[in-house]
Amino acid sequence: MVAPIIWGGLAVAGVLGAGWAANEAGDAAESGAKLAKWVTVAGGLYVSYRALKASGALK
């Protein structure tokens, strides 16, 4: 008679754990997208700097 209560508790814990994991995965994906954006911006700035330096506009 105790087994259904235990299985019910495990099911509820599993649903809550899956919701938490999905939330964390969403946060990680958002952080990855932000990182990719800033890496792209930094790369563009670097390439612009090197092009200006190569053309003699910067010393």
Side-chain angles (χ1 to χ4, degrees):
M1 289 309 221
V2 177
I5 295 171
I6 293 172
W7 285 114
L10 288 174
V12 169
V15 167
L16 293 175
W20 175 81
N23 187 29
E24 292 297 317
D27 291 345
E30 183 178 334
S31 295
K34 286 182 182 179
L35 176 63
K37 177 182 75 170
W38 286 110
V39 166
T40 303
V41 169
L45 286 173
Y46 178 73
V47 168
S48 298
Y49 167 76
R50 295 297 292 175
L52 287 170
K53 194 167 181 173
S55 70
L58 298 175
K59 291 187 179 194

